[in-house]
Amino acid sequence: MWHDFCYNIQLMNLLKTIFYCALASLSITVGCMSPERAVREADKVGSEIVGEYFEKVANWTNEFSIARPSDRLRNRLLAEQGLDPDAAEMLKAASNANQRQPLPDPLILSLADALRVGAANDNKYQEEKEELFKVALALDAKRQDFEATFAGILTGGVAGDKTDGSKATGEATGGAGGSISKKFRNGASLAASVGLDIVKLLTGGGSTLGLVGDGSMTIPLLRGSGRLVASEPLTQAERNMLYAIYDFEAFRQSFAVEIASAYYGMLKADQKLIALRENAERLTKNYERAKLLYEAGRLSQVELDQTRQDLLSTDDNLVNAEKSRQSELDSFKIRLGLPVDARINLDMSELDRLAAEMGLDIDGTNTIQAAVIQPALPWSEDDAVAIALTNCYNLSIARYRIEDCERALLIAEDGLRADLGIKLSGSLGRSKKDGESAADKSSYSAVVESDMPWERTSERNAYRIALIALDASRRSLESLEDKTRQLVRDDIRSINSAWSSFLIQREALSVAQRRVRSTTLFQQAGRSSTRDLLESESSLLSARNSVISAIVEYRMAGLRLRRDMSMLRISEEGLLLDDEK
């Protein structure tokens, strides 16, 4: 009976141990990070890092986020213009569904609208934001390398033994351990751990109660010592974050120029259609007048056919221009990240504003206003070059790259030294056997470790390669500086050339207008041929298109200059700021 009682007690202790181990395992499982929490925390950390660096470089104050709202314009167009029923259902479920005003159909986009829409909907823009975000997460990981790291482990189980003719025996096993490690920026590292026999603590039985702790610290004295060498991965990750910001800002400026160029290109296509339609209307009137003159015997069949042929040619050009314009508009929608079948148009007043600033009215009357003087640039050519050499993002990166190579050279030089370090370690344990008092046991050691640099072939080669890389980075900077000087000088020449071209085309338009009026009157008086009238109409059409092209080219040349100087100010929403217009 006593034997059975003891066996029952042992069984109860075993079950209790298994229960506690299972409870501990359950707590660990519950404490696991969910995917939702992982995304939430990563987004928070990444956005904070990006915001921190954006504030330094571009004075951004808004919160950075890679999340795309469900009610962005692409989805709204799909839903409200009946292009995708699924998008309509998704928008209905959005929290602000009842506060949104419906979009006009077709949607009219100004240049500011196009820039804002592109920044929010374009896939390439989103990819650039995501690349920036990934660099921020990489920096966070490197920062974590120098934080204290904790780890713990729990083990639990049961073991049994049975021999023929004897009773089965069972024993619970279980333990717990914890560790901490930390890497310091001077190259030293610390590690400590503690282990505990959980079963003996819970049951109070058994022959041994164990508690063990140990720790060690390694301090390099030669190779690998010092903040420069030890913290290089973190330093480079911080530099990579800075480069990513510069690259993203350069992308935003180039993106804005590309969208503006495509937008003005579409306006030119629209204006060309307007000019062609007006030209076709005048040619139709000319043809009707020519038929009357032919019937009156005042015009030959050849001249009548010439008038008809020019009218047919203009009609054909009008058809082709409309087709080309629709293709350009589809490409523009794709560039903005909008559905290709969405119904949108552009605001022609953008072109009217540019023309008015340059002394031209293109509202259909082709009125030439008083002569205007070319606006002076804010900088002289020398000043513009000097500003570009200071501000350009790619030059800033190139200069930082030289510093990276200089650090790499010092690190490679450090690799040529001998390994010499001190390792300090110690341990403490407590054990207890049945019928005995607990006994403590401790030990410690201090060891000097050295590895003489007899074999440094790879390190020698790495040092030479670092020297080459440093020289190459300096040459790269020189080349970029020369290209920047050339680019800025070409941009200024393009601005001046565009203005001169505008003045020429402006005068050509005035001449073409006079010529059409005079040849029309002369033909009515019988003093001008039909060919003269047709040629004057063709010249007017060409002059109108050329002057619009000159206006747009002057505007774009100014934007390209500011972009190449890294002086094109872009708002956080992707808009060209007013003072850059």
Side-chain angles (χ1 to χ4, degrees):
M1 181 179 295
W2 177 253
H3 179 76
D4 293 340
F5 176 77
C6 292
Y7 178 77
N8 291 335
I9 293 296
Q10 184 179 8
L11 181 61
M12 291 177 61
N13 289 333
L14 176 61
L15 294 174
K16 184 167 66 172
T17 301
I18 294 175
F19 170 77
Y20 282 122
C21 290
L23 185 61
S25 299
L26 179 62
S27 65
I28 293 174
T29 303
V30 172
C32 290
M33 181 176 290
S34 65
E36 293 78 11
R37 179 185 170 192
V39 170
R40 187 170 59 252
E41 292 187 2
D43 284 353
K44 182 176 183 296
V45 171
S47 298
E48 287 176 352
I49 292 176
V50 173
E52 170 191 341
Y53 277 81
F54 256 130
E55 189 173 358
K56 295 177 183 177
V57 174
N59 292 323
W60 270 34
T61 55
N62 287 358
E63 182 180 351
F64 178 86
S65 175
I66 61 172
R68 306 178 85 178
S70 60
D71 62 345
R72 58 195 176 99
L73 183 60
R74 177 184 177 86
N75 294 340
R76 293 189 64 187
L77 287 172
L78 289 171
E80 296 185 24
Q81 294 188 354
L83 306 177
D84 186 352
D86 293 337
E89 293 300 323
M90 180 178 62
L91 285 182
K92 286 181 182 178
S95 58
N96 60 345
N98 296 327
Q99 290 144 0
R100 283 193 311 266
Q101 295 295 325
L103 297 172
D105 191 0
L107 177 64
I108 307 298
L109 292 180
S110 66
L111 176 58
D113 293 333
L115 291 168
R116 186 185 296 107
V117 167
N121 294 268
D122 179 62
N123 289 334
K124 177 61 177 175
Y125 200 101
Q126 179 67 17
E127 289 170 7
E128 292 292 330
K129 291 176 67 176
E130 289 169 350
E131 288 300 318
L132 178 63
F133 186 79
K134 288 191 287 187
V135 175
L137 293 183
L139 173 56
D140 179 60
K142 292 302 179 183
R143 286 177 174 176
Q144 187 63 31
D145 289 344
F146 291 93
E147 299 293 333
T149 303
F150 299 90
I153 185 171
L154 285 173
T155 62
V158 60
D161 192 326
K162 185 176 186 307
T163 306
D164 292 340
S166 64
K167 293 184 178 181
T169 60
E171 179 182 6
T173 61
S179 65
I180 180 174
S181 60
K182 180 172 175 58
K183 183 178 179 181
F184 297 92
R185 298 193 182 187
N186 62 358
S189 60
L190 172 67
S193 63
V194 61
L196 183 64
D197 192 326
I198 295 180
V199 172
K200 302 305 183 290
L201 286 179
L202 293 175
T203 63
S207 59
T208 305
L209 175 63
L211 176 64
V212 179
D214 63 74
S216 64
M217 186 170 190
T218 303
I219 306 173
L221 300 178
L222 290 180
R223 189 163 73 157
S225 65
R227 187 183 185 89
L228 173 68
V229 177
S231 62
E232 172 60 20
L234 176 59
T235 302
Q236 190 58 60
E238 292 171 341
R239 281 296 177 86
N240 291 342
M241 188 67 224
L242 187 62
Y243 301 158
I245 294 291
Y246 281 137
D247 285 339
F248 185 65
E249 277 297 282
F251 167 79
R252 290 195 330 123
Q253 293 194 11
S254 296
F255 182 82
V257 172
E258 290 173 10
I259 295 299
S261 178
Y263 189 92
Y264 288 129
M266 283 300 308
L267 293 184
K268 285 198 302 182
D270 287 342
Q271 183 60 34
K272 181 179 179 180
L273 279 174
I274 293 173
L276 277 171
R277 291 191 186 106
E278 293 177 357
N279 182 248
E281 290 175 3
R282 289 194 299 271
L283 288 177
T284 300
K285 292 177 181 178
N286 290 338
Y287 178 66
E288 295 296 331
R289 186 165 53 247
K291 284 199 301 183
L292 294 176
L293 292 173
Y294 171 76
E295 293 170 356
R298 298 175 55 189
L299 195 69
S300 67
Q301 180 70 48
V302 172
E303 290 179 305
L304 178 63
D305 290 342
Q306 286 177 342
T307 305
R308 179 60 177 167
Q309 188 174 16
D310 270 27
L311 177 59
L312 293 174
S313 177
T314 299
D315 288 340
D316 185 59
N317 290 337
L318 188 59
V319 171
N320 290 330
E322 180 64 36
K323 173 178 173 287
S324 176
R325 189 257 182 194
Q326 290 298 329
S327 296
E328 289 182 30
L329 182 58
D330 286 348
S331 298
F332 185 64
K333 295 174 191 174
I334 294 174
R335 189 69 184 91
L336 295 182
L338 299 179
V340 71
D341 50 353
R343 295 182 291 276
I344 67 171
N345 281 321
L346 306 186
D347 185 1
M348 288 296 294
S349 65
E350 294 283 347
L351 193 56
D352 296 339
R353 180 183 61 80
L354 289 183
E357 288 178 357
M358 300 179 72
L360 180 66
D361 178 13
I362 56 171
D363 61 358
T365 62
N366 301 311
T367 304
I368 301 295
Q369 299 175 5
V372 292
I373 301 175
Q374 178 181 0
L377 289 174
W379 327 275
S380 65
E381 182 176 300
D382 291 340
D383 289 340
V385 169
I387 292 172
L389 292 176
T390 302
N391 287 354
C392 279
Y393 297 132
N394 60 344
L395 290 177
S396 297
I397 292 176
R399 294 186 183 101
Y400 282 128
R401 295 286 188 194
I402 292 178
E403 295 180 8
D404 292 344
C405 290
E406 290 172 344
R407 291 198 320 276
L409 181 63
L410 293 176
I411 293 171
E413 182 180 351
D414 178 78
L416 299 173
R417 299 197 295 175
D419 284 313
L420 179 64
I422 299 175
K423 184 173 182 180
L424 307 174
S425 61
S427 64
L428 175 65
R430 168 168 289 196
S431 62
K432 177 182 180 182
K433 293 185 179 180
D434 294 337
E436 298 181 2
S437 59
D440 294 334
K441 182 180 180 181
S442 62
S443 63
Y444 63 89
S445 65
V447 179
V448 177
E449 298 178 336
S450 176
D451 180 12
M452 301 305 293
W454 305 119
E455 174 55 45
R456 286 291 186 266
T457 302
S458 61
E459 289 82 358
R460 175 203 66 193
N461 294 343
Y463 181 76
R464 188 67 185 96
I465 291 173
L467 278 171
I468 295 173
L470 176 58
D471 190 49
S473 66
R474 289 169 176 164
R475 292 196 307 270
S476 177
L477 176 61
E478 291 175 0
S479 178
L480 281 175
E481 288 176 341
D482 290 339
K483 290 179 180 178
T484 300
R485 291 187 180 95
Q486 179 190 19
L487 198 59
V488 171
R489 288 162 60 89
D490 283 346
D491 287 338
I492 293 178
R493 284 192 285 263
S494 295
I495 290 175
N496 295 329
S497 175
W499 182 264
S500 298
S501 177
F502 165 72
L503 294 180
I504 294 171
Q505 299 301 333
R506 186 172 177 265
E507 182 64 22
L509 177 59
S510 178
V511 172
Q513 290 169 347
R514 271 198 320 270
R515 184 181 172 191
V516 168
R517 288 193 297 268
S518 61
T519 52
T520 301
L521 294 175
F522 286 157
Q523 190 202 39
Q524 292 173 355
R527 298 171 54 190
S528 176
S529 67
T530 299
R531 175 49 53 195
D532 292 336
L533 179 60
L534 296 177
E535 288 179 352
S536 66
E537 289 286 355
S538 177
S539 296
L540 177 59
L541 177 63
S542 176
R544 288 191 65 180
N545 292 334
S546 296
V547 77
I548 294 302
S549 295
I551 291 172
V552 170
E553 175 56 29
Y554 181 75
R555 166 65 167 161
M556 293 308 304
L559 292 179
R560 288 193 296 268
L561 172 62
R562 287 173 167 82
R563 178 201 62 191
D564 294 337
M565 295 173 62
S566 294
M567 293 287 289
L568 187 62
R569 298 179 60 238
I570 308 295
S571 75
E572 297 175 23
E573 294 179 313
L575 304 181
L576 293 167
L577 297 184
D578 292 341
D579 59 344
E580 296 297 338
K581 290 184 179 179

